Amino acid sequence: MNLIRATALVAGLSVTPACLAETLTVETGTPSGLTTLSMQVIATYGDLDLQINSGQTLTRACLKAGMGEIDVSICPPPAMGAMSKGVGPYKDVSEDAKAAYQNLRGLFAFSAGFFHAIVKADSGIEDWQDAFGSRIFTGPPAGSANGQSQSIIEAASGMKAGDDYEAVNLGWGAGLQAFQDGQFEVFMRPAPIGVSVIEQLGPIRLLTLSEEAQQSEVWKEYTAQESRFAGTIPAGTYANAVNEEDVTVAEYSMQAAVHADMDEETAYQLTKQFWGNLDAAKSDIKVLAGINAEQPFIGMNLPLHPGAIRYYKEIGIEIPQERM
């Protein structure tokens, strides 16, 4: 677990609006991922006092936000269906989860990453059809990325794990090293666009998701969840990639959530300071580039908090009826 305490500093003094004098507790995922960096946009560039606990299990963090144990959580949209029914990761706390879900309200959503399908530039694999019979890293054995990777691969190529390729399951760090050592041919790596770890892999090629693949039933089933869709990695994003054209891959989003009882002004300020400071943060943090202020509800499946609604109305953003 990583604990980050951040406030805006002016002339060496901590500045927090009088109406928001308390410290807000926040739980996020990977310290270097966008679930954490998104909240640092507010903590570092805004004037709210946030205590950010990174490295948390996000399904658990959402439960805590809905129960009022923390102020803000980053919530995976796919987890909301399970939470509302008290199943899956919530089966042991079913009634608490269902009650907590009713108390969650959204502030904003953002593109959290892309499933990079990576091969070495000299591997001889130029598209998904060349990958039949190969070894493919699909993620840690117990993580959700493993199943998502296998669905993406099937949509992209028709290949099924165990029949048409060998799925390799390791931790993220071990997987990175194993790819560099040549222990598998294709590396499925969910990450924010432009993340530096990919530029450390030597010459690579990114495999693209064809238009035909996006018409497949497997892809339609995969993207039936609001937070999953096709995204674009522009050519030239990675200096070590040999791709001369844009690459289409699977993209996914996250959402910031709070308890319905949070006061309107606090929710308003959280939303305003995220979007208002995003451009300044992007100049310092490259991986924020994939977050688009024109898509504040991308993949969101929670109703908005009244404070967030106030902000979007104030700046003239049309709010979908299902978010009201």
Side-chain angles (χ1 to χ4, degrees), residues 263-301:
D263 69 274
E264 181 179 316
E265 180 63 21
T266 301
Y268 169 82
Q269 288 294 337
L270 283 164
T271 309
K272 180 179 182 178
Q273 293 193 33
F274 174 72
W275 294 116
N277 291 297
L278 183 60
D279 284 344
K282 282 182 176 181
S283 66
D284 297 326
I285 306 173
K286 181 180 178 182
V287 296
L288 293 171
I291 299 180
N292 187 349
E294 296 182 1
Q295 297 179 307
F297 316 119
I298 187 169
M300 182 180 282
N301 57 0

Side-chain angles (χ1 to χ4, degrees), residues 78-102:
M80 296 300 93
M83 192 175 182
S84 68
K85 299 181 179 71
V87 298
Y90 303 105
K91 60 180 173 51
D92 293 333
V93 287
S94 181
E95 295 307 312
D96 285 342
K98 287 187 282 188
Y101 171 76
Q102 296 298 325

Side-chain angles (χ1 to χ4, degrees), residues 9-13 15:
L9 296 178
V10 179
L13 299 176
V15 180

Side-chain angles (χ1 to χ4, degrees), residues 253-268:
S253 67
M254 292 284 183
Q255 57 194 342
V258 299
H259 195 282
D261 287 344
M262 175 177 279
D263 69 274
E264 181 179 316
E265 180 63 21
T266 301
Y268 169 82

Side-chain angles (χ1 to χ4, degrees), residues 105 212 273:
R105 298 293 182 269
E212 181 181 1
Q273 293 193 33

Side-chain angles (χ1 to χ4, degrees), residues 33-226:
L34 285 184
T35 62
T36 299
L37 294 176
S38 63
M39 297 311 299
Q40 287 182 336
V41 170
I42 301 171
T44 304
Y45 298 85
D47 55 10
L48 295 180
D49 189 358
L50 305 185
Q51 178 179 296
I52 302 175
N53 297 299
S54 63
Q56 304 302 303
T57 301
L58 294 182
T59 50
R60 174 64 180 166
C62 300
L63 180 66
K64 291 171 72 175
M67 295 175 69
E69 295 178 3
I70 60 174
D71 295 304
V72 188
S73 170
I74 301 298
C75 291
M80 296 300 93
M83 192 175 182
S84 68
K85 299 181 179 71
V87 298
Y90 303 105
K91 60 180 173 51
D92 293 333
V93 287
S94 181
E95 295 307 312
D96 285 342
K98 287 187 282 188
Y101 171 76
Q102 296 298 325
N103 291 326
L104 284 177
R105 298 293 182 269
L107 299 180
F108 54 82
F110 55 92
S111 172
F114 300 73
F115 272 85
H116 299 65
I118 306 166
V119 298
K120 293 184 177 180
D122 60 359
S123 67
I125 300 175
E126 297 189 0
D127 56 39
W128 276 109
Q129 297 308 309
D130 294 333
F132 271 81
S134 64
R135 292 162 296 173
I136 303 178
F137 175 85
T138 56
S144 62
N146 180 30
Q148 291 184 58
S149 290
Q150 293 190 29
S151 294
I152 295 165
I153 293 166
E154 186 176 352
S157 63
M159 292 192 295
K160 294 185 177 182
D163 295 332
D164 305 302
Y165 69 93
E166 177 186 345
V168 178
N169 301 124
L170 300 166
W172 293 116
L176 181 69
Q177 186 60 54
F179 177 70
Q180 293 174 309
D181 294 341
Q183 295 182 28
F184 50 83
E185 288 73 43
V186 185
F187 186 21
M188 295 293 290
R189 183 63 162 88
I193 192 169
V195 67
S196 61
V197 68
I198 291 175
E199 294 188 329
Q200 299 169 10
L201 295 175
I204 61 168
R205 181 186 305 278
L206 298 173
L207 303 184
T208 195
L209 189 70
S210 69
E211 291 186 10
E212 181 181 1
Q214 295 174 59
Q215 302 304 315
S216 70
E217 290 304 315
V218 176
W219 178 254
K220 290 177 181 178
E221 181 178 348
Y222 176 75
T223 55
Q225 294 193 25
E226 297 94 333

